[in-house]
Amino acid sequence: SSASPKSSVISPSSAAASRLAGQGCDLIVPTGSRAQKSGPVVLADEVKNPAMEKLELVRKWSLNTYKCTRQIISEKLGRGSRTVDLELEAQIDILRDNKKKYENILKLAQTLSTQLFQMVHTQRQLGDAFADLSLKSLELHEEFGYNADTQKLLAKNGETLLGAINFFIASVNTLVNKTIEDTLLTVKQYESARIEYDAYRTDLEELNLGPRDANTLPKIEQSQQLFQVHKEKYDKMRNDVSVKLKFLEENKVKVLHNQLVLFHNAIAAYFAGNQKQLEQTLKQFHIKLKTPGADAPSWLEEQ
């Protein structure tokens, strides 16, 4: 149409089509084909390297797991040799045995705290009931009043003792479930390192007993290197366990000494009816109590 712009009318030309086809062939060819022609292998390597690294890690992990499993089975069947540090193993056994005993003490102390809490709660309710009857029964005003004061005093001392027992429980719980547990975690890592060390030591011993030729020498050299790596790891973990056991013993003695003195003094003062000594025990160990119902001193406290 004459009204249409000239730029919209294109005359077909075989020569122009050929030139466009020759110049634009790279745009038509897919990216993969172009990469194969120009030879940029770097992109392919970048894609393959992480996968190859993962496969290599899986291979090493599988081989290490197989060796360790074989070592564990051979030890249980009595066929494989095992590296033993007698002194260190004895300390670890004592630690595990002590942990069970401390857990039992912790459990019993928690039971005592629960029972004492219930008793204190009952005593406080009984004291309130006596006080209420003291106001409403004029003929028994003094008798109900005496009993109300007695129960309130017992409840107050019970709350003080409860604070001491709960402080004892918190300290022993920290020792057992944090400090000792952290040391036992290091012990587990040490035992795993020991199994790996023995597994690679056994491999090296078996290769050294076999023939030495061009095929076996590289394997022996590689096994020697792996053995050395795991030996250094085993020695490091053994040293770490020794250091942690030493510090744990020092910390355990200090913590338990203070807590046992606190527990003894608080229990003795409570059952002796020595309120001042009971409160002094809590001040000695910097235990702050928020005792509800801090009333004026009763006639029993003034005696």
Side-chain angles (χ1 to χ4, degrees), residues 8 42 87 110 112 161 167 189 209 219 232 239 290 297:
S8 62
V42 178
E87 182 179 357
Q110 289 170 341
L112 178 62
L161 176 62
F167 186 78
Q189 295 172 351
L209 292 175
K219 294 181 180 179
E232 292 175 359
N239 182 66
K290 186 178 180 181

Side-chain angles (χ1 to χ4, degrees), residues 25-38:
C25 62
D26 288 341
L27 298 176
I28 300 172
V29 177
T31 307
S33 302
R34 179 181 174 88
Q36 291 178 1
K37 288 184 178 181
S38 57

Side-chain angles (χ1 to χ4, degrees), residues 68 71-72 74-76 80-85 88-89 186-202 227 230-231 233-235 237-238:
C68 293
Q71 178 66 25
I72 293 172
S74 63
E75 289 179 6
K76 289 184 176 181
S81 59
R82 178 176 179 268
T83 303
V84 179
D85 188 326
L88 191 61
E89 294 289 339
T186 307
V187 169
K188 290 180 181 179
Q189 295 172 351
Y190 156 73
E191 291 174 343
S192 297
R194 196 277 306 166
I195 293 174
E196 290 180 350
Y197 165 72
D198 280 338
Y200 284 91
R201 175 184 57 79
T202 301
F227 165 75
H230 288 86
K231 182 179 183 302
K233 180 181 177 181
Y234 166 72
D235 291 337
M237 292 306 305
R238 181 175 58 181

Side-chain angles (χ1 to χ4, degrees), residues 38-67:
S38 57
V41 191
V42 178
L43 291 176
D45 289 342
E46 289 178 355
V47 176
K48 290 182 180 180
N49 275 339
M52 294 300 294
E53 290 177 359
K54 289 181 180 179
L55 286 174
E56 182 64 18
L57 289 174
V58 171
R59 188 188 69 83
K60 289 181 178 180
W61 176 83
S62 301
L63 182 61
N64 186 72
T65 303
Y66 164 73
K67 291 179 181 294

